[in-house]
Amino acid sequence: MIDFKSDIINEPTDAMWDAMRAAKPDWIIDRQDPSVNRLEEMAARLMGKEAALLVLTGRMANLVALMTFAERGHQVIVEKNSHIAWSEEWGISYIGGLYPRLVEGRAGVMDPADVEAAITDNRFNHIPVTDLVCLENTHNMAGGTVTSLEQTKALCDVAHRHGASVFIDGARILHAAFAFNVTPAELVAPADAVVFSLIKGLCAPAGAMLCGSTKDIERAYVNLKRLGAWSFHKAGILAAAGIVALETMVDRLRDDQRRAKQFANELNEMPGISVDLASVQTNIVMADISQTGLTTDEFLARLLERGVRGHRLTEQIARFTFHRHITDDGVEIALKVIREVVGST
Ligand SMILES: *Cc1c(COP(=O)(O)O)cnc(C)c1O
């Protein structure tokens, strides 16, 4: 099967399995596990931050960041279609006690003027305190779209001018950096903290890295304790694979982007399918298949019968995500299958 469902659907490499087998987990409670410490140092260096914290999942790392940078009862600016708003069961409110102020972006990127308006909005002479502005780069629901360094700077300037911190939900931030040919460290430099995922394009078995200043990461660690997740005993086994992921899997993300663009161009030529090519900026392709006469479910079922799996985003939109198991040959086969399916309706 050629599986475009998500870049979560991939396997650790043999080198990662070897590293996991060889790992000797040590006492995590006092931060004495050598693999975890090494992984955290590598992640911090990659993001140009002082320190990093290994957290089991991206969602939990986001939650820890929210708890760390915002005080209960205060306002946090999040993009209307962000992962924090739509995929995290409002942990921001339920656990963080925070008020999420939704600001709609274009292609996932908020306008600094809208962010400023949300911070300074004044009713009955009351201005809620805004502690944090969250950016998402790349933006998942917008189809892997990127926030540039200039945009990041402008948004951070507004936030910082009003005393708010900035956190980047950068599950796929490495993809964003490659799209602009900047280093990840350059791209996230204006922000206070960033989370990136080890399990998506990097193919590690688990983990997300929260990176920021030493002081902030120490406070984050306390919040990880509060969530019951600091006793991640034997994290060293997973961290050993994470180290291999950072050593061996970063550069190949460029191939995912190249293949996604090629796939999108060809898909867009097919009858009844339209792809907003400008939105294909990294490793995700969203195809509007509504003019094929099929619903997304029908379209995807026909693909699946022929060994190609996509993801249903909406009634009209099928999503295809590129990762290490989607090869050049895989792209050719998938295109042939889709051509067959839309040709036969
Ligand atoms: C995948 C993702 C997450 C969550 O990561 P998990 O490890 O699945 O919990 C958060 N934000 C964005 C933008 C993502 O794409």
mmCIF file with all atom_site columns, all heavy atoms in Angstrom, residues 151-170:
data_model
loop_
_atom_site.group_PDB
_atom_site.id
_atom_site.type_symbol
_atom_site.label_atom_id
_atom_site.label_alt_id
_atom_site.label_comp_id
_atom_site.label_asym_id
_atom_site.label_entity_id
_atom_site.label_seq_id
_atom_site.pdbx_PDB_ins_code
_atom_site.Cartn_x
_atom_site.Cartn_y
_atom_site.Cartn_z
_atom_site.occupancy
_atom_site.B_iso_or_equiv
_atom_site.pdbx_formal_charge
_atom_site.auth_seq_id
_atom_site.auth_comp_id
_atom_site.auth_asym_id
_atom_site.auth_atom_id
_atom_site.pdbx_PDB_model_num
ATOM 1   N N   . GLN A 1 151 ? 7.406  37.413 8.504  1.00 0.00 ? 151 GLN A N   1
ATOM 2   C CA  . GLN A 1 151 ? 6.108  37.359 9.178  1.00 0.00 ? 151 GLN A CA  1
ATOM 3   C C   . GLN A 1 151 ? 6.278  36.994 10.656 1.00 0.00 ? 151 GLN A C   1
ATOM 4   O O   . GLN A 1 151 ? 5.602  37.548 11.522 1.00 0.00 ? 151 GLN A O   1
ATOM 5   C CB  . GLN A 1 151 ? 5.202  36.335 8.480  1.00 0.00 ? 151 GLN A CB  1
ATOM 6   C CG  . GLN A 1 151 ? 4.738  36.798 7.102  1.00 0.00 ? 151 GLN A CG  1
ATOM 7   C CD  . GLN A 1 151 ? 4.077  35.682 6.296  1.00 0.00 ? 151 GLN A CD  1
ATOM 8   O OE1 . GLN A 1 151 ? 4.517  34.516 6.333  1.00 0.00 ? 151 GLN A OE1 1
ATOM 9   N NE2 . GLN A 1 151 ? 3.038  36.017 5.559  1.00 0.00 ? 151 GLN A NE2 1
ATOM 10  N N   . THR A 1 152 ? 7.174  36.052 10.912 1.00 0.00 ? 152 THR A N   1
ATOM 11  C CA  . THR A 1 152 ? 7.425  35.651 12.308 1.00 0.00 ? 152 THR A CA  1
ATOM 12  C C   . THR A 1 152 ? 7.916  36.841 13.114 1.00 0.00 ? 152 THR A C   1
ATOM 13  O O   . THR A 1 152 ? 7.453  37.097 14.231 1.00 0.00 ? 152 THR A O   1
ATOM 14  C CB  . THR A 1 152 ? 8.467  34.509 12.361 1.00 0.00 ? 152 THR A CB  1
ATOM 15  O OG1 . THR A 1 152 ? 8.016  33.442 11.535 1.00 0.00 ? 152 THR A OG1 1
ATOM 16  C CG2 . THR A 1 152 ? 8.669  34.003 13.779 1.00 0.00 ? 152 THR A CG2 1
ATOM 17  N N   . LYS A 1 153 ? 8.860  37.599 12.514 1.00 0.00 ? 153 LYS A N   1
ATOM 18  C CA  . LYS A 1 153 ? 9.406  38.781 13.193 1.00 0.00 ? 153 LYS A CA  1
ATOM 19  C C   . LYS A 1 153 ? 8.304  39.787 13.485 1.00 0.00 ? 153 LYS A C   1
ATOM 20  O O   . LYS A 1 153 ? 8.222  40.323 14.590 1.00 0.00 ? 153 LYS A O   1
ATOM 21  C CB  . LYS A 1 153 ? 10.463 39.457 12.303 1.00 0.00 ? 153 LYS A CB  1
ATOM 22  C CG  . LYS A 1 153 ? 11.848 38.876 12.427 1.00 0.00 ? 153 LYS A CG  1
ATOM 23  C CD  . LYS A 1 153 ? 12.825 39.716 11.597 1.00 0.00 ? 153 LYS A CD  1
ATOM 24  C CE  . LYS A 1 153 ? 14.197 39.087 11.572 1.00 0.00 ? 153 LYS A CE  1
ATOM 25  N NZ  . LYS A 1 153 ? 14.913 39.421 10.309 1.00 0.00 ? 153 LYS A NZ  1
ATOM 26  N N   . ALA A 1 154 ? 7.477  40.055 12.485 1.00 0.00 ? 154 ALA A N   1
ATOM 27  C CA  . ALA A 1 154 ? 6.429  41.073 12.654 1.00 0.00 ? 154 ALA A CA  1
ATOM 28  C C   . ALA A 1 154 ? 5.454  40.655 13.764 1.00 0.00 ? 154 ALA A C   1
ATOM 29  O O   . ALA A 1 154 ? 5.049  41.477 14.596 1.00 0.00 ? 154 ALA A O   1
ATOM 30  C CB  . ALA A 1 154 ? 5.689  41.278 11.327 1.00 0.00 ? 154 ALA A CB  1
ATOM 31  N N   . LEU A 1 155 ? 5.092  39.381 13.787 1.00 0.00 ? 155 LEU A N   1
ATOM 32  C CA  . LEU A 1 155 ? 4.151  38.896 14.811 1.00 0.00 ? 155 LEU A CA  1
ATOM 33  C C   . LEU A 1 155 ? 4.799  38.922 16.196 1.00 0.00 ? 155 LEU A C   1
ATOM 34  O O   . LEU A 1 155 ? 4.156  39.280 17.191 1.00 0.00 ? 155 LEU A O   1
ATOM 35  C CB  . LEU A 1 155 ? 3.679  37.484 14.452 1.00 0.00 ? 155 LEU A CB  1
ATOM 36  C CG  . LEU A 1 155 ? 2.690  37.450 13.272 1.00 0.00 ? 155 LEU A CG  1
ATOM 37  C CD1 . LEU A 1 155 ? 2.669  36.079 12.596 1.00 0.00 ? 155 LEU A CD1 1
ATOM 38  C CD2 . LEU A 1 155 ? 1.282  37.826 13.747 1.00 0.00 ? 155 LEU A CD2 1
ATOM 39  N N   . CYS A 1 156 ? 6.080  38.556 16.257 1.00 0.00 ? 156 CYS A N   1
ATOM 40  C CA  . CYS A 1 156 ? 6.782  38.571 17.551 1.00 0.00 ? 156 CYS A CA  1
ATOM 41  C C   . CYS A 1 156 ? 6.953  40.006 18.041 1.00 0.00 ? 156 CYS A C   1
ATOM 42  O O   . CYS A 1 156 ? 6.831  40.278 19.240 1.00 0.00 ? 156 CYS A O   1
ATOM 43  C CB  . CYS A 1 156 ? 8.141  37.880 17.427 1.00 0.00 ? 156 CYS A CB  1
ATOM 44  S SG  . CYS A 1 156 ? 8.002  36.100 17.185 1.00 0.00 ? 156 CYS A SG  1
ATOM 45  N N   . ASP A 1 157 ? 7.221  40.932 17.107 1.00 0.00 ? 157 ASP A N   1
ATOM 46  C CA  . ASP A 1 157 ? 7.356  42.345 17.499 1.00 0.00 ? 157 ASP A CA  1
ATOM 47  C C   . ASP A 1 157 ? 6.090  42.835 18.179 1.00 0.00 ? 157 ASP A C   1
ATOM 48  O O   . ASP A 1 157 ? 6.150  43.459 19.241 1.00 0.00 ? 157 ASP A O   1
ATOM 49  C CB  . ASP A 1 157 ? 7.627  43.217 16.259 1.00 0.00 ? 157 ASP A CB  1
ATOM 50  C CG  . ASP A 1 157 ? 9.083  43.168 15.840 1.00 0.00 ? 157 ASP A CG  1
ATOM 51  O OD1 . ASP A 1 157 ? 9.894  42.604 16.613 1.00 0.00 ? 157 ASP A OD1 1
ATOM 52  O OD2 . ASP A 1 157 ? 9.404  43.669 14.742 1.00 0.00 ? 157 ASP A OD2 1
ATOM 53  N N   . VAL A 1 158 ? 4.951  42.554 17.559 1.00 0.00 ? 158 VAL A N   1
ATOM 54  C CA  . VAL A 1 158 ? 3.668  43.000 18.126 1.00 0.00 ? 158 VAL A CA  1
ATOM 55  C C   . VAL A 1 158 ? 3.471  42.394 19.516 1.00 0.00 ? 158 VAL A C   1
ATOM 56  O O   . VAL A 1 158 ? 3.149  43.101 20.478 1.00 0.00 ? 158 VAL A O   1
ATOM 57  C CB  . VAL A 1 158 ? 2.495  42.595 17.211 1.00 0.00 ? 158 VAL A CB  1
ATOM 58  C CG1 . VAL A 1 158 ? 1.172  42.701 17.955 1.00 0.00 ? 158 VAL A CG1 1
ATOM 59  C CG2 . VAL A 1 158 ? 2.474  43.462 15.977 1.00 0.00 ? 158 VAL A CG2 1
ATOM 60  N N   . ALA A 1 159 ? 3.677  41.081 19.618 1.00 0.00 ? 159 ALA A N   1
ATOM 61  C CA  . ALA A 1 159 ? 3.456  40.399 20.902 1.00 0.00 ? 159 ALA A CA  1
ATOM 62  C C   . ALA A 1 159 ? 4.384  40.973 21.971 1.00 0.00 ? 159 ALA A C   1
ATOM 63  O O   . ALA A 1 159 ? 3.944  41.353 23.057 1.00 0.00 ? 159 ALA A O   1
ATOM 64  C CB  . ALA A 1 159 ? 3.678  38.900 20.743 1.00 0.00 ? 159 ALA A CB  1
ATOM 65  N N   . HIS A 1 160 ? 5.651  41.042 21.653 1.00 0.00 ? 160 HIS A N   1
ATOM 66  C CA  . HIS A 1 160 ? 6.639  41.487 22.646 1.00 0.00 ? 160 HIS A CA  1
ATOM 67  C C   . HIS A 1 160 ? 6.401  42.937 23.050 1.00 0.00 ? 160 HIS A C   1
ATOM 68  O O   . HIS A 1 160 ? 6.560  43.305 24.214 1.00 0.00 ? 160 HIS A O   1
ATOM 69  C CB  . HIS A 1 160 ? 8.060  41.281 22.110 1.00 0.00 ? 160 HIS A CB  1
ATOM 70  C CG  . HIS A 1 160 ? 8.439  39.825 22.007 1.00 0.00 ? 160 HIS A CG  1
ATOM 71  N ND1 . HIS A 1 160 ? 9.335  39.337 21.089 1.00 0.00 ? 160 HIS A ND1 1
ATOM 72  C CD2 . HIS A 1 160 ? 8.011  38.742 22.708 1.00 0.00 ? 160 HIS A CD2 1
ATOM 73  C CE1 . HIS A 1 160 ? 9.471  38.014 21.239 1.00 0.00 ? 160 HIS A CE1 1
ATOM 74  N NE2 . HIS A 1 160 ? 8.670  37.633 22.212 1.00 0.00 ? 160 HIS A NE2 1
ATOM 75  N N   . ARG A 1 161 ? 5.978  43.762 22.084 1.00 0.00 ? 161 ARG A N   1
ATOM 76  C CA  . ARG A 1 161 ? 5.698  45.166 22.386 1.00 0.00 ? 161 ARG A CA  1
ATOM 77  C C   . ARG A 1 161 ? 4.609  45.270 23.451 1.00 0.00 ? 161 ARG A C   1
ATOM 78  O O   . ARG A 1 161 ? 4.575  46.194 24.247 1.00 0.00 ? 161 ARG A O   1
ATOM 79  C CB  . ARG A 1 161 ? 5.272  45.890 21.101 1.00 0.00 ? 161 ARG A CB  1
ATOM 80  C CG  . ARG A 1 161 ? 5.511  47.377 21.162 1.00 0.00 ? 161 ARG A CG  1
ATOM 81  C CD  . ARG A 1 161 ? 5.172  48.130 19.866 1.00 0.00 ? 161 ARG A CD  1
ATOM 82  N NE  . ARG A 1 161 ? 5.308  47.391 18.634 1.00 0.00 ? 161 ARG A NE  1
ATOM 83  C CZ  . ARG A 1 161 ? 4.294  47.201 17.777 1.00 0.00 ? 161 ARG A CZ  1
ATOM 84  N NH1 . ARG A 1 161 ? 3.090  47.668 18.042 1.00 0.00 ? 161 ARG A NH1 1
ATOM 85  N NH2 . ARG A 1 161 ? 4.500  46.539 16.652 1.00 0.00 ? 161 ARG A NH2 1
ATOM 86  N N   . HIS A 1 162 ? 3.694  44.283 23.441 1.00 0.00 ? 162 HIS A N   1
ATOM 87  C CA  . HIS A 1 162 ? 2.598  44.312 24.417 1.00 0.00 ? 162 HIS A CA  1
ATOM 88  C C   . HIS A 1 162 ? 2.845  43.368 25.596 1.00 0.00 ? 162 HIS A C   1
ATOM 89  O O   . HIS A 1 162 ? 1.915  43.014 26.318 1.00 0.00 ? 162 HIS A O   1
ATOM 90  C CB  . HIS A 1 162 ? 1.273  43.959 23.717 1.00 0.00 ? 162 HIS A CB  1
ATOM 91  C CG  . HIS A 1 162 ? 0.823  45.031 22.772 1.00 0.00 ? 162 HIS A CG  1
ATOM 92  N ND1 . HIS A 1 162 ? 0.240  46.202 23.183 1.00 0.00 ? 162 HIS A ND1 1
ATOM 93  C CD2 . HIS A 1 162 ? 0.921  45.128 21.424 1.00 0.00 ? 162 HIS A CD2 1
ATOM 94  C CE1 . HIS A 1 162 ? -0.030 46.968 22.142 1.00 0.00 ? 162 HIS A CE1 1
ATOM 95  N NE2 . HIS A 1 162 ? 0.379  46.340 21.054 1.00 0.00 ? 162 HIS A NE2 1
ATOM 96  N N   . GLY A 1 163 ? 4.083  42.947 25.750 1.00 0.00 ? 163 GLY A N   1
ATOM 97  C CA  . GLY A 1 163 ? 4.425  42.158 26.932 1.00 0.00 ? 163 GLY A CA  1
ATOM 98  C C   . GLY A 1 163 ? 4.010  40.695 26.865 1.00 0.00 ? 163 GLY A C   1
ATOM 99  O O   . GLY A 1 163 ? 3.997  40.009 27.888 1.00 0.00 ? 163 GLY A O   1
ATOM 100 N N   . ALA A 1 164 ? 3.659  40.220 25.670 1.00 0.00 ? 164 ALA A N   1
ATOM 101 C CA  . ALA A 1 164 ? 3.276  38.807 25.528 1.00 0.00 ? 164 ALA A CA  1
ATOM 102 C C   . ALA A 1 164 ? 4.452  38.005 24.971 1.00 0.00 ? 164 ALA A C   1
ATOM 103 O O   . ALA A 1 164 ? 5.265  38.530 24.215 1.00 0.00 ? 164 ALA A O   1
ATOM 104 C CB  . ALA A 1 164 ? 2.069  38.685 24.615 1.00 0.00 ? 164 ALA A CB  1
ATOM 105 N N   . SER A 1 165 ? 4.528  36.745 25.361 1.00 0.00 ? 165 SER A N   1
ATOM 106 C CA  . SER A 1 165 ? 5.531  35.844 24.782 1.00 0.00 ? 165 SER A CA  1
ATOM 107 C C   . SER A 1 165 ? 4.994  35.253 23.486 1.00 0.00 ? 165 SER A C   1
ATOM 108 O O   . SER A 1 165 ? 3.799  35.360 23.191 1.00 0.00 ? 165 SER A O   1
ATOM 109 C CB  . SER A 1 165 ? 5.835  34.704 25.754 1.00 0.00 ? 165 SER A CB  1
ATOM 110 O OG  . SER A 1 165 ? 6.279  35.204 26.992 1.00 0.00 ? 165 SER A OG  1
ATOM 111 N N   . VAL A 1 166 ? 5.881  34.621 22.739 1.00 0.00 ? 166 VAL A N   1
ATOM 112 C CA  . VAL A 1 166 ? 5.459  33.949 21.510 1.00 0.00 ? 166 VAL A CA  1
ATOM 113 C C   . VAL A 1 166 ? 5.954  32.512 21.531 1.00 0.00 ? 166 VAL A C   1
ATOM 114 O O   . VAL A 1 166 ? 7.125  32.240 21.802 1.00 0.00 ? 166 VAL A O   1
ATOM 115 C CB  . VAL A 1 166 ? 5.999  34.649 20.247 1.00 0.00 ? 166 VAL A CB  1
ATOM 116 C CG1 . VAL A 1 166 ? 5.577  33.887 18.988 1.00 0.00 ? 166 VAL A CG1 1
ATOM 117 C CG2 . VAL A 1 166 ? 5.521  36.093 20.187 1.00 0.00 ? 166 VAL A CG2 1
ATOM 118 N N   . PHE A 1 167 ? 5.016  31.619 21.237 1.00 0.00 ? 167 PHE A N   1
ATOM 119 C CA  . PHE A 1 167 ? 5.327  30.196 21.178 1.00 0.00 ? 167 PHE A CA  1
ATOM 120 C C   . PHE A 1 167 ? 4.967  29.702 19.772 1.00 0.00 ? 167 PHE A C   1
ATOM 121 O O   . PHE A 1 167 ? 3.899  30.022 19.264 1.00 0.00 ? 167 PHE A O   1
ATOM 122 C CB  . PHE A 1 167 ? 4.507  29.462 22.244 1.00 0.00 ? 167 PHE A CB  1
ATOM 123 C CG  . PHE A 1 167 ? 4.367  27.990 21.986 1.00 0.00 ? 167 PHE A CG  1
ATOM 124 C CD1 . PHE A 1 167 ? 5.482  27.167 22.019 1.00 0.00 ? 167 PHE A CD1 1
ATOM 125 C CD2 . PHE A 1 167 ? 3.138  27.427 21.683 1.00 0.00 ? 167 PHE A CD2 1
ATOM 126 C CE1 . PHE A 1 167 ? 5.367  25.813 21.755 1.00 0.00 ? 167 PHE A CE1 1
ATOM 127 C CE2 . PHE A 1 167 ? 3.012  26.071 21.427 1.00 0.00 ? 167 PHE A CE2 1
ATOM 128 C CZ  . PHE A 1 167 ? 4.132  25.266 21.462 1.00 0.00 ? 167 PHE A CZ  1
ATOM 129 N N   . ILE A 1 168 ? 5.857  28.936 19.174 1.00 0.00 ? 168 ILE A N   1
ATOM 130 C CA  . ILE A 1 168 ? 5.568  28.363 17.856 1.00 0.00 ? 168 ILE A CA  1
ATOM 131 C C   . ILE A 1 168 ? 5.260  26.876 18.004 1.00 0.00 ? 168 ILE A C   1
ATOM 132 O O   . ILE A 1 168 ? 6.104  26.100 18.474 1.00 0.00 ? 168 ILE A O   1
ATOM 133 C CB  . ILE A 1 168 ? 6.754  28.535 16.878 1.00 0.00 ? 168 ILE A CB  1
ATOM 134 C CG1 . ILE A 1 168 ? 7.097  30.018 16.698 1.00 0.00 ? 168 ILE A CG1 1
ATOM 135 C CG2 . ILE A 1 168 ? 6.434  27.887 15.532 1.00 0.00 ? 168 ILE A CG2 1
ATOM 136 C CD1 . ILE A 1 168 ? 8.327  30.262 15.820 1.00 0.00 ? 168 ILE A CD1 1
ATOM 137 N N   . ASP A 1 169 ? 4.038  26.496 17.627 1.00 0.00 ? 169 ASP A N   1
ATOM 138 C CA  . ASP A 1 169 ? 3.727  25.075 17.468 1.00 0.00 ? 169 ASP A CA  1
ATOM 139 C C   . ASP A 1 169 ? 4.339  24.682 16.129 1.00 0.00 ? 169 ASP A C   1
ATOM 140 O O   . ASP A 1 169 ? 3.734  24.845 15.079 1.00 0.00 ? 169 ASP A O   1
ATOM 141 C CB  . ASP A 1 169 ? 2.216  24.846 17.492 1.00 0.00 ? 169 ASP A CB  1
ATOM 142 C CG  . ASP A 1 169 ? 1.851  23.397 17.182 1.00 0.00 ? 169 ASP A CG  1
ATOM 143 O OD1 . ASP A 1 169 ? 2.775  22.581 16.985 1.00 0.00 ? 169 ASP A OD1 1
ATOM 144 O OD2 . ASP A 1 169 ? 0.644  23.096 17.125 1.00 0.00 ? 169 ASP A OD2 1
ATOM 145 N N   . GLY A 1 170 ? 5.558  24.184 16.209 1.00 0.00 ? 170 GLY A N   1
ATOM 146 C CA  . GLY A 1 170 ? 6.310  23.880 14.991 1.00 0.00 ? 170 GLY A CA  1
ATOM 147 C C   . GLY A 1 170 ? 6.490  22.382 14.825 1.00 0.00 ? 170 GLY A C   1
ATOM 148 O O   . GLY A 1 170 ? 7.599  21.913 14.571 1.00 0.00 ? 170 GLY A O   1
#
